[in-house]
Amino acid sequence: MESHQQVAVFGAYGHTGRFVVAELAARGYVPVPSGRNARALRELAQGHGLEARVASAEDAASLDRALAGTVAVINCAGPFATTTDPVIEAALRANIPYLDVAAELEANLDTFAHYQERAREAGAVIVPAMAFFGGLGDLLVTAAMGDWTAADEAHIAYALSNWHPTAGTRLSGAVSRERRGDVRLRYSGGQWQRRTDAAPALQWTFPEPMGVREVIGEFTMADVVTVPQHLSIPDVTTYMTVEAVRDVAAPHTPGPTAADRSGRSDQTFLVDAVVRSGGLEGRATASGQDIYAVTAPLVAEALERVLTGRTKTVGVASAGEIFDAPDFLHALAPYIALDLHPQAA
């Protein structure tokens, strides 16, 4: 459906931002590329026949100009520790929805802490972490919960065939480590723990044909922020296959390389979400290609639902809180293979 509505994309020339611009255009929106790099913006805009608007997170007036006439803004510009607050403030001034693709734990925690009451009182919509890390896992856990009102624990295991990080991923990771220091975060017993011990090496049994794989446990990702915001689950843990951890930790691992005309890499992923309550277990899995590319349909589908009123709340909201999780996941059928398992003893 051709809407021709203008949607600002801050950080549009980044690796993920380019996928978002292309996805929005394919859905009939008019992306408005924005960011501080005038040359990169100009090249991107010319390639798509779009209007570029130079703006900086340090210049509120430039952000206001970038968002003028748009119906929403999607923030793709990391490190989100420095861009989230200014772009949210600009969205609130413009009275438009804000969505981002932040994977930084601290940035997402700050968004919920700083804007939850204010956004709710204003009737504003702010959806953080609407990406592969954060949004997808949150939707899967919510779907796996079914009609449960609470669960004892949630586990989200990631199997990536490889992880060639973008420059943005590396920069965001460095900023998070600088903020966190020599500790890692763990959500257990309904609260955040700051741990100094090494994350455990474990085994996770993925659905066949993948089966048992070596993983790093307590490899805390954005899902661990989003899930407890709306689901009564005191223990939320994420896991990552050891090969992917080695890739992203190695300083000389190259960035992603396009393997098809869309620009996607040949990386594959499987996300396995399990919730447990007493003797019962619910499970939901999703698989696909390229964690950066799949972020685009995730955030674009979220945007479409916000703009058409297919939401369940206002304020700062996780994906599974604001959207109908099973319906949203089924809408991603062109991009992911989905398996929602019934809850069983």
Side-chain angles (χ1 to χ4, degrees), residues 138-160:
D138 190 275
L139 289 164
L140 290 170
V141 169
T142 306
M145 283 274 289
D147 58 2
W148 293 354
T149 57
D152 299 326
E153 56 194 44
H155 304 268
I156 308 166
Y158 293 97
L160 308 185

Side-chain angles (χ1 to χ4, degrees), residues 124-181:
V125 172
I126 297 173
V127 188
M130 195 59 239
F132 177 79
F133 291 119
L136 182 56
D138 190 275
L139 289 164
L140 290 170
V141 169
T142 306
M145 283 274 289
D147 58 2
W148 293 354
T149 57
D152 299 326
E153 56 194 44
H155 304 268
I156 308 166
Y158 293 97
L160 308 185
S161 60
N162 57 65
W163 192 352
H164 289 209
T166 65
T169 294
R170 289 200 182 280
L171 181 57
S172 290
V175 169
S176 282
R177 288 190 296 274
E178 183 178 342
R179 292 186 66 181
R180 195 161 55 238

Side-chain angles (χ1 to χ4, degrees), residues 22-77:
E23 181 69 22
L24 290 175
R27 289 174 179 245
Y29 295 99
V30 179
V32 178
S34 180
R36 65 191 309 163
N37 188 324
R39 180 178 178 181
L41 271 180
R42 184 170 58 252
E43 291 175 355
L44 174 65
Q46 289 175 348
H48 289 271
L50 301 171
E51 173 198 359
R53 298 181 184 177
V54 179
S56 167
E58 292 79 30
D59 183 348
S62 72
L63 288 173
D64 290 343
R65 290 191 295 271
L67 271 54
T70 65
V71 296
V73 58
I74 299 175
N75 185 8
C76 300

Side-chain angles (χ1 to χ4, degrees), residues 104-128:
E104 297 167 33
L105 302 182
E106 297 81 8
N108 287 315
L109 285 167
D110 286 348
T111 296
F112 281 101
H114 296 166
Y115 292 99
Q116 206 154 34
E117 289 187 15
R118 183 176 162 195
R120 187 182 300 115
E121 290 173 357
V125 172
I126 297 173
V127 188

Side-chain angles (χ1 to χ4, degrees), residues 11 29 31 56 67 71 74 78 80 88 122 138-139 145 194 200 212 216 257 259 269-270 285 290 295 303 313 332 335:
Y29 295 99
S56 167
L67 271 54
V71 296
I74 299 175
F80 291 90
I88 289 177
D138 190 275
L139 289 164
M145 283 274 289
R194 296 171 64 85
V212 178
I216 300 300
T257 302
F269 64 80
L270 188 151
T285 63
D290 194 329
T295 287
L303 171 76
T313 188
L332 298 175
Y335 311 96

